[in-house]
């Protein structure tokens, strides 16, 4: 098992025990911002199938940051699209509890996650960022992501159109 330390915060692979904390972060973000496109709160059962894609080996990983058993944030590399042609492509995301933002936790989670998938059969890493989100764009640029393009007004949430910046990082260039 991989475990990292960050000022009294443990970074470790996510377990089923962490799922309630992960869902709570996702639901809070969905309810209070446009960063998640979910238009309603999701229950535990709805997220179990999604969570099942992650493992402690292979390209699809999820790490959590915990303090005292409480999930403060997560980062994951997940299936981009369910087609064989995309087998070497992953999409990454990071989510942080509201009180855990701006403290370097996202950076630590991504650093650990990219370290774990560095030797996996991943050629390209993608990230889609709902705009505006300067902090997330800066985080991804810090890890070598470059802008690919903007999907303009392709989603609607709370009566507002949302655009996303899509970014990518070639794994071979990051090694």
């Amino acid at each position: 098992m991989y475990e990292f330390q960050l000022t009294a915060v443990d970074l470790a692979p996510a377990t089923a025990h962490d799922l309630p904390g992960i869902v709570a972060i996702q639901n809070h973000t969905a309810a209070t911002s446009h960063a998640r496109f979910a238009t309603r709160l999701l229950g535990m059962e709805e997220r179990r199938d999604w969570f099942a894609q992650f493992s402690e080996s292979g390209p699809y990983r999820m790490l959590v940051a915990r303090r005292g058993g409480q999930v403060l944030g997560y980062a994951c590399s997940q299936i981009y699209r369910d087609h064989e042609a995309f087998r070497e492509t992953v999409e990454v995301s990071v989510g942080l509890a509201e009180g855990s933002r701006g403290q370097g936790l996202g950076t630590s989670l991504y650093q650990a996650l990219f370290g774990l998938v560095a030797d996996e059969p991943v050629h390209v890493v993608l990230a889609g960022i709902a705009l505006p989100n300067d902090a997330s764009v800066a985080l991804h640029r810090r890890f070598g992501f470059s802008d690919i393009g903007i999907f303009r007004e392709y989603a609607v949430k709370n009566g507002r159109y949302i655009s996303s910046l899509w970014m990518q990082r070639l794994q071979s260039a990051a090694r």
Side-chain angles (χ1 to χ4, degrees), residues 31-134:
T32 60
S33 79
H34 65 277
R36 286 195 56 81
F37 291 168
T39 56
R40 63 178 180 77
L41 301 183
L42 299 174
M44 290 287 298
E45 288 305 315
E46 294 174 283
R47 296 309 281 166
R48 285 190 203 286
D49 286 343
W50 166 81
F51 186 74
Q53 74 180 294
F54 304 109
S55 68
E56 288 192 37
S57 63
Y60 310 123
R61 308 280 186 105
M62 177 178 270
L63 295 176
V64 293
R66 296 184 206 102
R67 180 181 294 127
Q70 180 183 0
V71 175
L72 305 176
Y74 67 90
C76 62
S77 58
Q78 58 192 336
I79 296 168
Y80 169 63
R81 293 203 174 158
D82 192 19
H83 297 287
E84 179 65 18
F86 295 111
R87 70 185 172 277
E88 294 182 9
T89 302
V90 297
E91 183 176 354
V92 295
S93 64
V94 62
L96 301 173
E98 187 173 12
S100 299
R101 297 177 187 152
Q103 301 172 24
L105 196 54
T107 298
S108 295
L109 281 162
Y110 261 2
Q111 185 173 28
L113 178 68
F114 292 137
L116 292 175
V117 299
D119 294 325
E120 298 297 340
V122 173
H123 178 67
V124 67
V125 180
L126 301 174
I129 303 165
L131 298 174
N133 190 336
D134 294 343

Side-chain angles (χ1 to χ4, degrees), residues 139-157:
L139 173 67
H140 287 85
R141 285 190 178 136
R142 190 169 27 246
F143 281 95
F145 283 77
S146 57
D147 299 10
I148 298 304
I150 296 176
F151 288 179
R152 299 206 182 274
E153 299 182 359
Y154 76 124
V156 179
K157 183 175 176 182

